[in-house]
Amino acid sequence: MKRILSGITPSGDGSLHIGNYLGAVRQFKKLSEDHDCFLFVADLHALTTIQQKGQLQTNIEALILNELALLGDLKNITFFRQSDVPEHTELQSILNNVTPLGLLKRAHAYKDKLQKDTTEDDINVGLFSYPMLMAADILLYKPDLVPVGKDQKQHIEIARDVAERFNRIYKKKVFKIPEPFIPEAVAVIPGTDGKRKMSKSLGNIISIFENEEVIRKQVMSTYTDPTRKHATDPGHVEGNMVFTYLEFFGEKAKIDQLKELYTKGQISDIEVKNYLFESLMKTFEKARKRYEDLKSHPEKVKKILEEGAAKAKIIAGMTMGEVRETIGLVNQYSLVSQRYHVTEHDNKENVTIDEFARIEMRVGKVTSAINKEGSDKLIRLVVDVGEEKPRIIFTAVRPFGYTPDYFLNKQFFFITNLAPRKMMDEYSQGMIMAVDGADGKPLFLSADGMPVGSKIR
Ligand code: ADP
Ligand code: TRP
């Protein structure tokens, strides 16, 4: 699967509106069907404009909850926070040294700011080097595609430029040259004022997670047809924002019917707006439920972010290992963790420590052991692993000369959180642990004298 990566800055107040949903989140979700996706909340990028602790905290929380609620299941998506993966800032620092000052001076964000009403003394270096942090964000993950809005195109070009420079200077293809993915087909959603693009800063939005009354108000104040004074006047559908939004959220047959009534002057604005409101509530019903659920269970959100950061760190760590090695930071005095860099191969073949930690092993005492009737291999053990009920666990070791007597009243180590496996007419509810002996004969690990039911860590 091809890898894609994108970031979203928790600017404004961190919440998303239907323009963000249609223009960004929905695309990303679609891409995630057949791409390996990395999506992160660019909290460090928000520092260029937000320097109040409380506001930054609120924004980050809002954006995380909004995104997670809209994305739903995270199949093929690694979702994390930029500041949870310090490799982003580490790489930025290194990339600074292969980047000419002029390249950043030509960046739009900086140039525009300078031209407005601001002097160099009022622009922080964070804003100036914003494209460098973004380049680091991207290059760390070697993505095939970077889906962004049009306004971010130049930043991707800077990232490409920096990647090429680095590879050229160090004569090694460390970085993959990133490709922007700017779907032209994705329309810019106009705002409720019917004039400008829907944008948080313009206050012309329809929210997704606000309470119903707020959203109803936003819908009711949406621009329709200024030439229409009464519900009996024939109305216009083109340029009418309510119908524009309905195209995305309503049902085709119903829309056609409403359009006809509207143009004939047989239905009021309010009725059409009510239908839009209902359609929005229906479209986002599941997402709104997920939002409430996540908001009241911070531990769920934290777990998602922990898992996301752990996965992101594997990839980011691999790239940083290569970078450190390539630029000469690694030598015989380097700490082992820095000398060893994980390769893509290691990553693919290995189980992560977190994954392995999910395996549960316990001390169990065999309270009954018999040859399984109808089998010439299986011995059926009944094992006390410290739970209310004993477990039935099979072991296929009669061909090695084992008899039930060998197991009876002794203690061994058992794996206790495996999916049950059918063995003849019963299910094995775990597995006994053994070591390969010299001639392939399994040797059982004795747990005699250890507390029954204890977990191995
Ligand atoms: P806002 O303008 O509300 O602050 P952002 O600039 O933070 O939104 O944009 C976040 C993402 O949503 C970007 O990918 C952007 O392309 C997309 N987006 C924002 N507004 C719209 C819109 N009106 N129509 C389509 N996509 C939009
Ligand atoms: N600057 C991007 C924006 O404002 C957000 C972002 C930060 C990003 N790092 C990124 C997007 C890396 C794509 C890749 O929309």
Side-chain angles (χ1 to χ4, degrees):
M1 268 200 289
K2 288 199 168 174
R3 182 179 294 163
I4 66 177
L5 167 124
S6 198
I8 354 142
T9 312
S11 52
D13 68 359
S15 69
L16 300 176
H17 49 71
I18 61 169
N20 299 133
Y21 168 73
L22 294 171
V25 186
R26 197 177 56 158
Q27 258 61 247
F28 197 84
K29 182 73 182 167
K30 184 102 189 72
L31 283 168
S32 77
E33 284 168 15
D34 51 3
H35 288 82
D36 180 23
C37 299
F38 286 76
L39 181 63
F40 64 94
V41 170
D43 49 4
L44 294 170
H45 272 121
L47 287 170
T48 59
T49 52
I50 304 175
Q51 296 175 348
Q52 287 143 304
K53 176 182 170 182
Q55 200 200 337
L56 187 63
Q57 289 173 321
T58 321
N59 283 17
I60 293 170
E61 178 181 354
L63 184 57
I64 289 172
L65 294 178
N66 277 230
E67 281 286 339
L68 288 178
L70 285 175
L71 290 170
D73 78 72
L74 292 177
K75 185 165 172 276
N76 297 337
I77 301 176
T78 302
F79 184 85
F80 64 102
R81 260 173 89 160
Q82 186 184 34
S83 65
D84 282 337
V85 184
E87 281 81 357
H88 289 241
T89 39
E90 189 183 356
L91 183 58
Q92 179 190 20
S93 227
I94 289 168
L95 293 179
N96 278 339
N97 301 285
V98 299
T99 309
L101 203 57
L103 184 66
L104 293 186
K105 283 195 172 166
R106 288 190 292 275
H108 294 319
Y110 167 74
K111 247 173 53 184
D112 292 354
K113 184 115 182 169
L114 202 56
Q115 263 168 10
K116 270 186 194 155
D117 41 354
T118 324
T119 67
E120 271 188 357
D121 284 336
D122 297 317
I123 298 177
N124 65 55
V125 176
L127 179 79
F128 183 66
S129 76
Y130 186 107
M132 298 315 299
L133 181 57
M134 185 153 159
D137 293 340
I138 297 168
L139 300 179
L140 272 179
Y141 299 90
K142 305 185 179 181
D144 296 290
L145 288 177
V146 185
V148 284
K150 273 205 190 81
D151 58 328
Q152 297 297 313
K153 193 160 175 246
Q154 193 193 31
H155 288 151
I156 311 278
E157 276 155 15
I158 294 175
R160 289 171 64 90
D161 198 336
V162 171
E164 275 162 6
R165 273 168 203 274
F166 183 100
N167 290 352
R168 192 166 356 107
I169 292 172
Y170 292 102
K171 298 189 181 60
K172 198 171 162 208
K173 272 197 164 169
V174 173
F175 295 122
K176 181 168 188 144
I177 311 304
E179 293 289 340
F181 177 69
I182 305 168
E184 288 298 328
V186 174
V188 171
I189 309 301
T192 53
D193 56 0
K195 293 195 193 88
R196 299 162 296 181
K197 84 160 201 169
M198 183 175 289
S199 172
K200 184 63 65 46
S201 54
L202 299 172
N204 57 359
I205 61 166
I206 293 184
S207 308
I208 301 172
F209 299 107
E210 285 289 351
N211 62 46
E212 291 194 15
E213 283 327 297
V214 173
I215 296 176
R216 191 186 292 278
K217 256 202 199 126
Q218 291 170 338
V219 170
M220 290 305 155
S221 64
T222 295
Y223 176 93
T224 53
D225 176 358
T227 64
R228 196 172 186 239
K229 296 274 180 295
H230 307 284
T232 48
D233 296 345
H236 294 90
V237 165
E238 311 79 57
N240 185 321
M241 287 308 113
V242 177
F243 283 101
T244 305
Y245 301 150
L246 272 180
E247 295 295 334
F248 296 105
F249 301 108
E251 277 167 27
K252 175 107 184 42
K254 175 85 180 172
I255 300 171
D256 289 344
Q257 185 200 356
L258 290 177
K259 274 184 184 168
E260 198 182 325
L261 294 172
Y262 195 82
T263 41
K264 286 185 183 155
Q266 292 172 356
I267 192 173
S268 68
D269 274 25
I270 306 265
E271 283 168 279
V272 189
K273 285 175 172 174
N274 277 336
Y275 178 61
L276 173 61
F277 176 75
E278 282 162 28
S279 307
L280 286 168
M281 286 301 132
K282 200 166 154 206
T283 306
F284 294 113
E285 187 186 341
K286 283 203 187 113
R288 286 171 62 89
K289 280 214 182 91
R290 277 195 292 267
Y291 176 84
E292 291 307 328
D293 178 57
L294 291 167
K295 200 169 162 68
S296 51
H297 293 98
E299 72 286 353
K300 284 191 192 170
V301 180
K302 205 170 155 198
K303 183 154 180 283
I304 293 172
L305 293 172
E306 248 164 26
E307 286 177 6
K311 263 188 84 180
K313 258 172 179 294
I314 292 175
I315 315 280
M318 282 186 326
T319 307
M320 273 322 294
E322 259 183 284
V323 169
R324 288 171 153 274
E325 163 78 35
T326 303
I327 65 181
L329 283 176
V330 176
N331 66 9
Q332 59 176 324
Y333 305 117
S334 298
L335 308 181
V336 174
S337 62
Q338 286 159 12
R339 272 208 309 272
Y340 174 72
H341 82 258
V342 189
T343 64
E344 193 83 45
H345 174 265
D346 291 338
N347 178 34
K348 281 214 181 89
E349 297 298 312
N350 290 344
V351 169
T352 66
I353 289 177
D354 288 345
E355 281 160 0
F356 181 70
R358 292 183 49 219
I359 301 289
E360 189 182 271
M361 285 173 273
R362 289 177 186 269
V363 172
K365 178 168 180 152
V366 178
T367 56
S368 147
I370 52 164
N371 283 331
K372 176 72 180 170
E373 213 176 299
S375 161
D376 51 4
K377 294 197 184 75
L378 294 176
I379 296 178
R380 178 188 189 272
L381 308 175
V382 177
V383 186
D384 175 5
V385 290
E387 297 165 336
E388 227 171 84
K389 273 200 190 162
R391 299 206 187 197
I392 297 164
I393 293 174
F394 287 94
T395 175
V397 291
R398 274 157 68 195
F400 298 100
Y402 282 103
T403 61
D405 280 357
Y406 174 83
F407 297 96
L408 190 60
N409 294 324
K410 284 194 213 145
Q411 296 187 182
F412 301 94
F413 294 106
F414 293 88
I415 304 193
T416 49
N417 65 339
L418 300 173
R421 153 88 82 89
K422 192 155 191 211
M423 301 261 183
M424 312 203 41
D425 57 338
E426 288 184 294
Y427 282 89
S428 190
Q429 301 166 311
M431 200 172 93
I432 185 166
M433 289 181 74
V435 171
D436 279 340
D439 44 3
K441 175 174 171 163
L443 306 173
F444 291 95
L445 293 172
S446 169
D448 281 331
M450 295 189 188
V452 170
S454 282
K455 274 194 209 168
I456 306 175
R457 290 193 220 236

